[in-house]
Amino acid sequence: MTAERHILLIIGGGIAAYRSLELIRLLRRDGHVVHPVLTSGARQFITPLSAAALAGQKAFTDLFSLTDETEMGHIRLARQADLVIVAPATANLLARAANGLADDLATTILLVTAAPILFAPAMNPRMWEHPATRRNVAQLFADGAHFIGPAEGEVACGEQGEGRMSEPQAIAGRVRELLAPVDQPLAGRHVLITAGPTHEPIDPVRVLANRSSGRMGFALAEAARELGARVTLVAGPTCLPDVPGVHAMRVQTAQEMMHAVHEALPADMAILAAAVADWRVKNASATKLKKGGNGPPVLELAENPDILASIAALPEGRRPALVVGFAAETGDVLANARAKLKRKRADVIIANDVSPQTGILGGEETELHIITDSAEEHLPRQPKPRAARAVLQYLASLLVKPDSGSNG
Ligand code: C5P
């Protein structure tokens, strides 16, 4: 048995291309087989010969692709690769990848591969900050790509800011994480997750809603599945697609969510990540409310059931071994979260600051605190899918040794 993995390293056209040669060396030192692919831009900075010599493998370029198709089967290689790295990922390459273009060998590989893709962006800081690049990065995140960097520092054009490609050592470290054999500590466990907002009808066309996107809950569902769990995801209205391999129950209101959650029990772990509306409209109208007449309607509100508290209060045997709540706060995050842990009788509260300036609510990234009776763990700001994996690893460890986290 060999641990060697095949990595396709797409080198984009930027001054950082020469640092990818060092990356080849580090990846080989970790025992990987590296297949370099140079875009036409990359060939302005380094030669296929230097990449091939360091990799000990042929370097692919568009120049060879017509003959290589039959001779080398690089498309087959793209399908069979364990990981694809794009370093440096230029603004242009990110834009083409985000839009699914396949106008050269590199972008064709990105469309064909089933392997995880890691982008290491490098560009002028203004290009990195440009809304078009932000959009492209957000799209690639949503498509499941991984990112490292760019780092802060001086870029080749002399400007200062975020735009420098991450150090080859850091990229190699991230590769180690991505290729680590996935341990499945939740195999045979049922994990129940709520996600998204709820919509509380005012009339047949209007609702009370909130800004939750459901991204965190969906990412948690995927992470739980990756750790081997059977997952039920009860989701309020979101535009996110079903997570493959996860049983989805789509609901609209808090009362429907409450019903679906209790129907999905028993579970070993319940993670209540939904932003459930605290109130519903008691006097919702069966017909569309009209303007005029007696002025604006007066909405009478009724309190919604607290799904988390209802699960935490279940008798032993019916109660999941680990009940996890979220605390989205706009101030005093830790103190409020600790109070919530007690009040709701949860085993774990995962707290984050959703003040508008953080961009967390509805955004791509999050920063979290995991709080139990006996411990507090800080997860720095990072993409939600990565944070979700870290959270699930932590929760899985509590389930394995329930004494360290459960008070239920
Ligand atoms: O809204 P609040 O800050 O109390 O929410 C904290 C936790 O309680 C979250 O995990 C949320 O999903 C859960 N919750 C719930 N049902 C509610 C309100 C909140 O499950 N009606």
Side-chain angles (χ1 to χ4, degrees), residues 98-380:
N99 287 286
L101 297 188
D103 55 357
D104 67 357
L105 181 58
T107 47
T108 303
I109 286 171
L110 293 177
L111 278 189
V112 169
T113 189
I117 302 172
L118 173 63
F119 288 96
M123 64 195 73
N124 173 286
R126 286 168 199 266
M127 293 169 82
W128 176 248
E129 290 302 332
H130 194 282
T133 305
R134 311 305 325 139
R135 273 199 305 278
N136 294 331
V137 170
Q139 183 60 55
L140 291 164
F141 263 141
D143 294 344
H146 303 271
F147 279 81
I148 180 164
E152 197 61 57
E154 193 176 330
V155 290
C157 50
E159 280 189 48
Q160 193 71 23
E162 221 180 346
R164 226 181 118 73
M165 188 171 89
S166 289
E167 291 302 325
Q169 285 90 339
I171 300 175
R174 189 68 197 286
V175 168
R176 255 174 256 131
E177 266 173 46
L178 286 171
L179 291 181
V182 181
D183 189 14
Q184 298 216 312
L186 293 178
R189 309 285 197 150
H190 180 207
V191 175
L192 170 60
I193 297 174
T194 66
T198 63
H199 281 186
E200 310 297 333
I202 296 170
D203 69 14
V205 296
R206 301 181 180 96
V207 295
L208 289 183
N210 62 61
R211 295 185 196 280
S212 165
S213 66
R215 278 202 190 95
M216 191 61 200
F218 276 62
L220 289 165
E222 185 159 10
R225 189 213 56 206
E226 277 171 11
L227 296 190
R230 176 169 73 83
V231 184
T232 303
L233 176 63
V234 181
T238 83
C239 47
L240 300 174
D242 283 350
V243 181
V246 165
H247 176 57
M249 299 170 86
R250 302 267 184 174
V251 299
Q252 296 287 321
T253 67
Q255 286 178 307
E256 286 168 16
M257 185 174 278
M258 174 85 164
H259 190 253
V261 159
H262 283 268
E263 198 177 286
L265 290 174
D268 298 286
M269 190 193 296
I271 310 177
L272 292 304
V276 182
D278 289 322
W279 303 285
R280 65 177 177 279
V281 181
K282 199 170 164 189
N283 57 341
S285 169
T287 54
K288 188 181 169 197
L289 296 171
K290 298 280 185 206
K291 272 188 291 201
N294 302 328
V298 176
L299 301 181
E300 201 184 327
L301 300 182
E303 194 152 331
N304 266 331
D306 191 314
I307 303 169
L308 170 59
S310 79
I311 291 197
L314 285 171
E316 218 184 307
R318 186 105 181 112
R319 183 189 194 276
L322 207 61
V323 177
V324 183
F326 269 70
E329 305 288 349
T330 53
D332 278 340
V333 176
L334 293 179
N336 283 327
R338 281 185 215 110
K340 201 160 284 184
L341 184 73
K342 292 217 160 44
R343 192 170 68 246
K344 302 213 181 196
R345 295 164 60 191
D347 304 308
V348 183
I349 288 284
I350 298 171
N352 57 13
D353 184 345
V354 293
S355 308
Q357 70 274 15
T358 65
I360 285 177
L361 198 63
E364 304 287 343
E365 298 191 333
T366 190
E367 177 183 348
L368 299 172
H369 299 268
I370 305 178
I371 293 161
T372 70
D373 253 0
S374 55
E376 285 184 14
E377 179 105 355
H378 175 232
L379 299 182

